[in-house]
Amino acid sequence: MMEVAFIISSILLISYSLLAVYDGVYLHLYKYLLYQHKESRFEHFTHTIRAFLFTGILISLFINIENNDLFLFGCVLIVTDIITLLIDVYVEKDSRQFMGGLPRWEYMIHLFVNGFHFAAIAVFLVIKIDFDSKGIRLVKNFQQIESFGIFRFIAINLLPGAIVISLLHILVYSSKFKYYFNKIQLKCC
């Protein structure tokens, strides 16, 4: 069962990451420039928090999977991520008034990206938490599971991109960076 669970979690993690780059970088930062519109700055702030939370979740849960202390910290990050997502969804209607509201197709992307994100976490929790007759126990050793290596390889290789995207969400607040970022955008379009 764990073999299949790691494969499913790997597929979900990759799917989430690909859609998150498209939605969070291309649409939010590049196409719609959410950070530049007064009414959408708070939404951009929630996206910034979630980008850093994902980086923390990636490190504490998916990469350091055998560290139970980090697992508990990761669980706190998951709860914080859920709360931040609820705030993001609540402000989104007002935030997107400058563009006539959130397009339906982007709303659908948000459903998929968050579905993949939380499904990857849920499958991981099934792998990590073991319920038996003695109670609840956190599984520590996954080395004997072949697909664990692939899962960990994927998580480790997603980390640099997660860090860059987190930093990019902050750098767009810098007028100097924004100037060069906008120049790149004008050359590409």
Side-chain angles (χ1 to χ4, degrees):
M1 178 176 133
M2 279 197 195
E3 191 75 45
V4 174
F6 273 118
I7 292 169
I8 291 170
S9 196
S10 297
I11 292 168
L12 290 167
L13 198 55
I14 291 169
S15 300
Y16 161 74
S17 298
L18 291 173
L19 271 178
V21 167
Y22 175 73
D23 184 51
V25 176
Y26 175 72
L27 291 178
H28 295 174
L29 296 180
Y30 186 77
K31 184 175 181 183
Y32 297 134
L33 305 167
L34 294 183
Y35 60 92
Q36 287 190 0
H37 299 276
K38 183 180 177 189
E39 59 271 19
S40 61
R41 284 195 187 124
F42 187 75
E43 181 186 358
H44 176 74
F45 178 68
T46 62
H47 295 168
T48 303
I49 292 170
R50 291 200 70 211
F52 277 96
L53 287 169
F54 176 69
T55 302
I57 290 168
L58 201 56
I59 293 167
S60 62
L61 293 182
F62 298 132
I63 293 173
N64 293 300
I65 191 171
E66 296 171 334
N67 184 326
N68 287 340
D69 293 332
L70 277 178
F71 171 77
L72 297 174
F73 177 68
C75 289
V76 171
L77 295 180
I78 292 169
V79 171
T80 306
D81 188 36
I82 292 169
I83 292 167
T84 308
L85 173 63
L86 291 172
I87 293 168
D88 177 38
V89 170
Y90 183 78
V91 301
E92 214 159 45
K93 182 180 177 190
D94 296 332
S95 172
R96 300 299 187 93
Q97 285 184 351
F98 75 92
M99 55 187 274
L102 184 69
R104 285 182 194 213
W105 61 268
E106 188 181 353
Y107 180 71
M108 290 169 47
I109 289 172
H110 290 177
L111 288 174
F112 278 107
V113 76
N114 285 296
F116 290 144
H117 173 66
F118 289 110
I121 291 170
V123 171
F124 170 79
L125 293 175
V126 168
I127 294 168
K128 182 73 175 166
I129 302 171
D130 185 30
F131 296 95
D132 59 20
S133 60
K134 297 176 186 174
I136 299 173
R137 153 181 98 80
L138 298 177
V139 179
K140 273 185 100 165
N141 189 1
F142 300 100
Q143 299 302 325
Q144 75 282 4
I145 301 166
E146 197 173 316
S147 58
F148 168 68
I150 296 167
F151 172 81
R152 191 152 189 217
F153 175 82
I154 290 167
I156 288 170
N157 283 284
L158 289 175
L159 183 60
I163 292 169
V164 167
I165 290 170
S166 297
L167 294 175
L168 185 60
H169 274 75
I170 289 178
L171 286 173
V172 294
Y173 286 115
S174 159
S175 57
K176 198 172 206 176
F177 181 83
K178 198 184 310 184
Y179 170 78
Y180 290 109
F181 192 67
N182 289 338
K183 271 187 115 164
I184 291 168
Q185 182 187 21
L186 292 174
K187 285 183 182 181
C188 293
C189 294

